[in-house]
Amino acid sequence: MEVRLALTGFGNVGQGVAHLLVERPEVYRDRYGVDLVLTGVADRGGSAVNPSGLDLAALFEAKRSQGTVAAAPGGHAGLAGEAFLDLAAAQVLLEASSTNFENAEPGWSYVLAALGRNMDVVLASKGALVLHFQELMEQARVRDLRVLFSATIGAPLPVIELAERVLIGNDILGFEGIVNATSNQILEAMSNGATYEEGVKQAQELGIAETDPTLDVDGWDAAAKAAIIADAVLGAALRLEDVQRHGMRDVTREELEQARQQNQRVKLVARVMRRDGGFEATVGPERRDRSDSIGRLEGGQMSITYFTHPLGTVNTTIEGGAGGLQTALTMLRDVVNLARDRGWASPSPR
Amino acid sequence: MEVRLALTGFGNVGQGVAHLLVERPEVYRDRYGVDLVLTGVADRGGSAVNPSGLDLAALFEAKRSQGTVAAAPGGHAGLAGEAFLDLAAAQVLLEASSTNFENAEPGWSYVLAALGRNMDVVLASKGALVLHFQELMEQARVRDLRVLFSATIGAPLPVIELAERVLIGNDILGFEGIVNATSNQILEAMSNGATYEEGVKQAQELGIAETDPTLDVDGWDAAAKAAIIADAVLGAALRLEDVQRHGMRDVTREELEQARQQNQRVKLVARVMRRDGGFEATVGPERRDRSDSIGRLEGGQMSITYFTHPLGTVNTTIEGGAGGLQTALTMLRDVVNLARDRGWASPSPR
């Protein structure tokens, strides 16, 4: 069945989504029975819309040569917001604009407008979740709409799927995660002898760090992910300031060298545990043995560990790491699971 | 909603299911909206049935004192097969009798009888899957029934959930798993200085090894799991004899000591990879570094690793290991996911 998608944001992640729709459309059509059609894309310069499906090659070309999709066929400079959604006429909003922890914009307005138009939402930006988790879920619930957000919490880690479909019957006592690729990539580079600046540059070249890595290296990104996971999985209702946050800026090359000599790694770990009826939420650098589930991870590899009763510890690691492509894959994974839930997909083999 | 369960087999796993229904019924009722009611249990001595729900404490007592649930209230010596299913009047069959790789009985007959009575099936025994995978799935498909079997493939590993709901959009190139707890527990004990016999005894005391550990130590159990996973996830249609199988009996304490000195472990690894349009399936002991996803695992810990494109390697580890309780939890996880699929469960929070 055809599933029409409107995409807000055309950076690393948004372009990754478009690439997958160009390169692997048959995977989604043949295996899951969903014909994914991109009917609208908005970026800072405006939008391109076509309810029968945009010309994806032209989008890339317009972005490359003119800096905005508004220069592509179907393009309108300055078109945004509700007018964009009305023209795109999609079933699902893919929100992949830049994360904003101050007022969650432009994502929050896009999400509210989409829900108001009876659209389901798949998020890659974190602002709306961090600032408005309860309100967002309630707005979706009263309209029987879905808000999925795997891409915001250490994509492509199976954070929600494990909690909802695998840990069934267990109490989740807490979790720890390596959820920020950039800071851990920089720590790895530094422990291999690079300076902090060289580490940042390397992470940028790998496509996992922003031009301004402040949100990553100061732990804001990891703290936001910890809060979202805690809200979603533990029902915690954490604000960003409830997470005790230490970034990796103060970690010295000497400390890293010392850890290395003791067969350890320093990783930026996010952790939330139930404590005394409340929650203890922290982000900070930790020394871990290389035989440990987290200490063994190199560079930008990601990991989520759940502590549960009675099953015990369940750890999942993505050794391929996280970048725009992985995040885009994760958004489309949410789209397929949503389509199944909606009856838009073909039945699974079993 | 009430979900009535009929259970065949009342050993480690079957009793684990009953224990969970005694100890944690509110978990299933409050979180997932399913009221799990055991209406029938069959063991080698006969059955106990009560369509409004069996007295679970009486079942344990009858098993302990008389060796069969047939001695409990609602008990019938010799009651089995179709007559048992008719009297139990359940919606779901939980098949947890002993695995039989020769003719898949008694599981296969129970499964066919259940499907014929419009019951969904949750399996812990492997015989029917190993010998009749395609026929079983076809029999379920034509009746729009579900056959779930997470408990057969290295319970509580999230083998199917990862493949179906997380690796969406990726090609699965193959997998490797630590799926047999017993043989790996024995290898661990031997590398800590125990003899083979002491290792077997230790695994039996931990409740993960059978009285006759042949199926485990000769790799039959791991090979069966590899074949089932390959059938389910790769569409491979493997027979047990298609798996090149080496058990762990020939591994010497000297080899284990040598590995240990080199910061390695010897693990019994099951692996299936796509190769030249077909599949290469192996089970055997391998030396792995302790910083490796598999080499770091102690004792009876379990692990599944998927090799995928474009996402890369995805590894999940259950550090708590696998025993009767974990397998029982996994059967009830399948029941809850089935109940959701059927509309018997309350909607998930999102």
Side-chain angles (χ1 to χ4, degrees):
Chain A
M1 192 169 149
E2 183 178 288
V3 179
R4 295 184 309 281
L5 310 171
L7 173 64
T8 44
F10 204 59
N12 242 348
V13 175
Q15 291 185 43
V17 168
H19 268 298
L20 286 169
L21 298 183
V22 172
E23 301 288 338
R24 295 170 69 80
E26 77 289 354
V27 167
Y28 296 92
R29 194 164 46 230
D30 299 349
R31 293 187 202 162
Y32 316 105
V34 289
D35 200 0
L36 302 177
V37 179
L38 194 62
T39 61
V41 180
D43 64 17
R44 287 200 180 90
S47 307
V49 287
N50 183 342
S52 0
L54 288 161
D55 176 343
L56 301 175
L59 287 180
F60 286 116
E61 176 53 25
K63 188 77 179 180
R64 193 192 59 73
S65 63
Q66 311 284 317
T68 173
V69 296
H76 305 266
L79 179 66
E82 309 203 349
F84 162 72
L85 289 180
D86 285 337
L87 288 172
Q91 293 142 281
V92 184
L93 169 66
L94 306 187
E95 212 303 287
S97 60
S98 297
T99 284
N100 171 339
F101 292 134
E102 278 162 35
N103 60 14
E105 294 298 348
W108 180 227
S109 292
Y110 270 119
V111 169
L112 288 180
L115 294 176
R117 278 158 183 74
N118 212 32
M119 295 170 70
D120 296 301
V121 173
V122 171
L123 289 167
S125 70
K126 289 175 278 294
L129 292 164
V130 167
L131 298 183
H132 306 289
F133 192 91
Q134 270 72 27
E135 184 184 348
L136 172 53
M137 293 306 155
E138 179 60 17
Q139 292 275 350
R141 196 190 60 76
V142 296
R143 295 176 170 90
D144 196 26
L145 294 169
R146 308 284 182 277
V147 176
L148 300 175
F149 50 88
S150 294
T152 69
I153 42 181
L157 290 171
V159 175
I160 301 295
E161 290 87 347
L162 284 177
E164 289 194 351
R165 302 191 71 93
V166 174
L167 299 178
I168 289 169
N170 290 277
D171 304 326
I172 301 180
L173 313 175
F175 62 86
E176 64 181 16
I178 299 294
V179 290
N180 178 266
T182 304
S183 55
N184 284 296
Q185 176 65 44
I186 297 170
L187 285 169
E188 179 83 359
M190 287 172 68
S191 83
N192 289 330
T195 62
Y196 170 80
E197 288 72 21
E198 289 164 349
V200 170
K201 189 148 175 287
Q202 209 176 91
Q204 285 165 343
E205 283 164 7
L206 288 168
I208 57 177
E210 303 296 323
T211 314
D212 173 8
T214 304
L215 291 182
D216 296 316
V217 298
D218 289 339
W220 290 105
D221 177 75
K225 288 167 176 163
I228 297 170
I229 299 172
D231 287 1
V233 166
L234 305 177
L238 293 186
R239 293 160 306 167
L240 198 46
E241 54 268 34
D242 294 329
V243 183
Q244 293 170 45
R245 183 182 46 76
H246 296 274
M248 53 69 62
R249 262 194 227 261
D250 300 336
V251 180
T252 64
R253 288 163 76 183
E254 289 65 39
E255 289 172 82
L256 291 167
E257 178 55 27
Q258 203 177 37
R260 190 183 157 91
Q261 282 170 9
Q262 294 175 28
N263 216 25
Q264 296 178 319
R265 279 194 178 89
V266 176
K267 306 294 285 183
L268 190 80
V269 179
R271 181 182 303 106
V272 180
M273 298 298 293
R274 295 186 192 276
R275 286 262 189 275
D276 310 323
F279 299 91
E280 185 176 277
T282 56
V283 165
E286 293 182 9
R287 260 203 205 196
R288 305 287 287 247
D289 286 339
R290 288 197 180 211
S291 58
D292 161 291
S293 61
I294 281 181
R296 75 182 188 80
L297 299 179
E298 298 169 10
Q301 298 181 337
M302 316 277 280
S303 171
I304 178 82
T305 303
Y306 281 112
F307 304 105
T308 76
H309 171 80
L311 192 52
T313 302
V314 178
N315 166 266
T316 298
T317 293
I318 307 282
E319 298 183 2
L325 172 70
Q326 288 88 341
T327 306
L329 269 169
T330 307
M331 293 192 88
L332 294 187
R333 158 178 128 205
D334 275 356
V335 169
V336 170
N337 282 326
L338 165 70
R340 289 168 164 162
D341 200 19
R342 286 278 178 222
W344 301 336
S346 50
S348 97
R350 257 182 323 288
Chain B
M1 191 169 149
E2 183 179 284
V3 179
R4 295 183 309 280
L5 309 171
L7 172 64
T8 46
F10 204 59
N12 241 349
V13 175
Q15 291 185 42
V17 169
H19 268 298
L20 287 169
L21 298 183
V22 171
E23 301 289 338
R24 295 170 69 80
E26 77 289 355
V27 167
Y28 296 92
R29 194 165 46 230
D30 299 348
R31 293 187 201 161
Y32 316 106
V34 289
D35 199 0
L36 301 177
V37 179
L38 194 61
T39 62
V41 181
D43 64 17
R44 287 199 179 90
S47 307
V49 287
N50 183 344
S52 0
L54 288 161
D55 176 342
L56 301 175
L59 287 181
F60 286 115
E61 176 53 25
K63 187 76 179 180
R64 192 191 60 73
S65 63
Q66 311 284 318
T68 172
V69 296
H76 305 266
L79 178 66
E82 310 203 350
F84 162 72
L85 289 180
D86 286 336
L87 287 172
Q91 293 142 282
V92 184
L93 170 65
L94 306 188
E95 212 303 286
S97 61
S98 297
T99 284
N100 170 339
F101 293 135
E102 279 161 35
N103 61 14
E105 294 298 349
W108 182 226
S109 293
Y110 270 120
V111 169
L112 289 180
L115 295 176
R117 278 157 183 74
N118 212 33
M119 295 169 69
D120 296 301
V121 173
V122 171
L123 290 167
S125 71
K126 289 175 278 292
L129 292 164
V130 168
L131 298 182
H132 306 289
F133 192 92
Q134 270 72 28
E135 183 184 348
L136 173 54
M137 293 306 155
E138 179 60 17
Q139 293 275 351
R141 197 190 59 76
V142 297
R143 295 177 171 88
D144 195 27
L145 294 169
R146 308 283 182 277
V147 176
L148 300 176
F149 50 89
S150 293
T152 70
I153 41 181
L157 290 171
V159 175
I160 301 295
E161 290 87 346
L162 284 177
E164 289 194 350
R165 302 190 71 92
V166 175
L167 299 178
I168 289 169
N170 290 276
D171 305 326
I172 302 181
L173 312 175
F175 62 86
E176 65 180 16
I178 299 294
V179 289
N180 179 267
T182 305
S183 55
N184 285 295
Q185 177 65 45
I186 297 170
L187 285 169
E188 178 83 359
M190 287 171 68
S191 83
N192 290 328
T195 63
Y196 171 79
E197 289 72 22
E198 289 164 349
V200 171
K201 189 147 175 289
Q202 209 175 91
Q204 285 164 343
E205 284 164 5
L206 287 168
I208 58 176
E210 304 296 323
T211 315
D212 172 9
T214 304
L215 291 182
D216 295 316
V217 298
D218 289 339
W220 291 106
D221 177 75
K225 287 166 176 165
I228 297 170
I229 299 172
D231 288 2
V233 167
L234 305 177
L238 293 187
R239 293 159 306 167
L240 198 47
E241 54 268 36
D242 294 329
V243 183
Q244 294 170 44
R245 184 183 45 77
H246 297 274
M248 54 68 61
R249 263 194 226 263
D250 301 337
V251 179
T252 64
R253 288 164 75 183
E254 290 65 38
E255 289 173 83
L256 291 167
E257 178 55 28
Q258 205 177 34
R260 192 183 155 89
Q261 282 170 8
Q262 294 174 29
N263 215 24
Q264 296 179 320
R265 279 194 179 89
V266 176
K267 305 295 285 183
L268 190 80
V269 180
R271 182 182 302 106
V272 181
M273 298 297 294
R274 296 186 192 277
R275 285 262 190 274
D276 309 323
F279 299 91
E280 186 175 277
T282 57
V283 165
E286 293 181 11
R287 258 203 206 198
R288 304 286 287 248
D289 286 339
R290 288 195 180 211
S291 57
D292 162 290
S293 61
I294 281 181
R296 77 183 187 81
L297 300 178
E298 297 168 12
Q301 298 181 337
M302 318 276 281
S303 171
I304 178 80
T305 304
Y306 281 111
F307 304 105
T308 77
H309 171 80
L311 190 54
T313 303
V314 179
N315 166 266
T316 299
T317 293
I318 307 282
E319 298 183 3
L325 172 69
Q326 288 87 344
T327 307
L329 269 169
T330 307
M331 294 191 87
L332 294 187
R333 158 179 128 203
D334 276 356
V335 169
V336 170
N337 281 326
L338 164 70
R340 287 169 166 164
D341 200 19
R342 286 279 180 221
W344 301 336
S346 51
S348 96
R350 257 184 321 289

